Structure formats: C-alpha cells, structure tokens
Amino acid sequence: MITSSSFPLLCLTISILFLLPLPPSHSADPDPLQDLCVADLSASTPADYNFPCKPISEITSDDFFFDGLTKPGNKTKVFGVSVSAGNVLTFPGLNTLGISLNRVGFAPRGIVPPHSHPRASEVGVVMEGKILTGFVTTKNVFYSKVLTAGEVFVIPRGLVHFQLNVGEGEALEFTAFNSHLPGSATVPLNLFSATPSIPDHVLTKTFLVGEDVIDNIRSKFRF
C-alpha cells in the first residue's frame, strides 16, 4: 500500500525512471516526427502495434493521463504477482514516445519468473519490501542484487531476468522501459504453455528428462 510517508519516494521514483538513461540511451522505438501522436486504439491494429495517430481534433487531456499505477492488480495464483501495465495499450498518450512503466506487486515469495523484453531495457525501483533481481547474459554470466526500498537495478534489453520477493511480507516495485510496448516473453509459459504445444521430444531432449516430467510440469501451466 502506498502511504503518505512513501508518496515523496514514489514521486522521486517516477522522475528517476523516466529521466534515467537506459542502455542504449535512446528510445528503442522510432523517433516521433510530430509533437504528439496519441494512439488510435480503435483503428485496426497492425501486428507490430505501430498505432496510427488519433486525429488532433479528437485528442483530449485525458489521453495524457493514466491512474493505473494507483491500483494494484490481482495477484496470479501460480506466481503470486500482479502487474498493472502502463503501456500504449492502456495509456494511448505514450504512443511514439518510447517510454512505459509497470506497477508490480508481490505476495510473500511471489516471483516474476524468468522472462525477457525484446524491445526494451528495463529499470526498476523497489518501493516496499525486499526483492532479489537478477539477469543472465548471452555468455551465461549471472548478475543479481537484493533490493530494498529506494534501490534501483537495470536490466539490459533482451536478456532473461527475474524478480523474487525474498522479504517477510508483500513487496512493491515500479519498472520503466524505453519502449511504448516492450513486450514480454516468459520462459516457463513459452516452453510449457505454448499453443500449439512444443513437442514432448523437443523438451525431453532439451532438459534431459522423461516425458512424465514434462507432462507434470506442463500440467501446472494449464490455466
């Protein structure tokens, strides 16, 4: 819960997340060619989510306002986390600006499982609790840190990473990205919950286990 005492930290956090240069220092999205391009979400959506601009005459102040970060989402039963996403799909004013951010809530022992963002680097700051954050490079080098309130960790674009609540109670983190839609590829869901399913023999050879193990793991991701 965001209290009055933590509100100044929240304000500082939002400023840091959007002003801190992410590697690379420029946006992962194309530079805008006009003052503003509010996403027209009613238009037919191309596969790459490059939304057309809403007509200037239809733009209002509400297009540049978003209150989603004040609202905790529902925590998933499997991973014990909730994500309130502020990206172009929920906040049309971000279109072409190359920025977005999330509110991430953790139940005790909750985890954002290993995943990657193909279109953005990520910077996160812990607001409450204690969170173990780590990523793995393409050379299989693991970097990690346990973060507490006010501490920041950065994840380079495209690398597999995770966040785990290692505190006694709930935890809260805000994350920001240098893309209006960073995308997310979650490793366990990709492998065990894809449609259609990845063939069992691919997974058994990958993990050097029998089909019974693969079937058991896959059963846990049938939502």
Side-chain angles (χ1 to χ4, degrees):
M1 172 186 243
I2 298 178
T3 64
S4 58
S5 60
S6 65
F7 185 73
L9 179 57
L10 173 59
C11 293
L12 177 61
T13 296
I14 300 301
S15 299
I16 291 174
L17 290 178
F18 279 115
L19 294 178
L20 187 67
L22 291 168
S25 60
H26 56 78
S27 165
D29 298 337
D31 288 335
L33 299 177
Q34 60 282 313
D35 288 344
L36 48 90
C37 177
V38 173
D40 185 355
L41 300 181
S42 66
S44 58
T45 306
D48 58 3
Y49 289 102
N50 289 320
F51 290 98
C53 303
K54 180 187 289 188
I56 291 292
S57 60
E58 297 179 13
I59 293 176
T60 70
S61 296
D62 285 340
D63 289 316
F64 305 100
F65 170 80
F66 180 69
D67 65 356
L69 301 188
T70 67
K71 305 168 185 177
N74 296 321
K75 293 182 176 65
T76 64
K77 294 181 180 179
V78 175
F79 298 122
V81 295
S82 64
V83 178
S84 301
N87 56 45
V88 69
L89 299 178
T90 58
F91 191 0
L94 295 180
N95 195 38
T96 75
L97 300 185
I99 52 176
S100 59
L101 73 167
N102 293 341
R103 172 187 176 134
V104 187
F106 297 78
R109 309 305 297 175
I111 185 171
V112 178
H115 64 287
S116 65
H117 302 292
R119 295 184 290 275
S121 299
E122 173 182 343
V123 59
V125 59
V126 173
M127 301 300 299
E128 299 174 6
K130 184 184 295 185
I131 297 173
L132 169 64
T133 299
F135 67 86
V136 181
T137 71
T138 57
K139 294 184 178 180
N140 289 326
V141 179
F142 176 54
Y143 297 93
S144 68
K145 199 78 173 177
V146 174
L147 307 177
T148 57
E151 295 180 333
V152 177
F153 201 72
V154 66
I155 310 293
R157 176 179 175 177
L159 297 186
V160 173
H161 60 286
F162 68 88
Q163 291 102 338
L164 172 66
N165 181 4
V166 295
E168 296 298 323
E170 296 194 346
L172 176 65
E173 180 181 30
F174 285 88
T175 57
F177 308 88
N178 61 333
S179 170
H180 67 213
L181 193 65
S184 181
T186 303
V187 174
L189 298 182
N190 289 165
L191 294 176
F192 298 104
S193 190
T195 302
S197 298
I198 296 175
D200 281 2
H201 67 270
V202 173
L203 297 176
T204 57
K205 288 182 178 294
T206 298
F207 293 104
L208 306 179
V209 298
E211 288 188 11
D212 57 330
V213 175
I214 298 301
D215 291 341
N216 182 50
I217 296 175
R218 184 175 278 140
S219 69
K220 300 179 186 302
F221 295 101
R222 292 175 182 149
F223 306 124

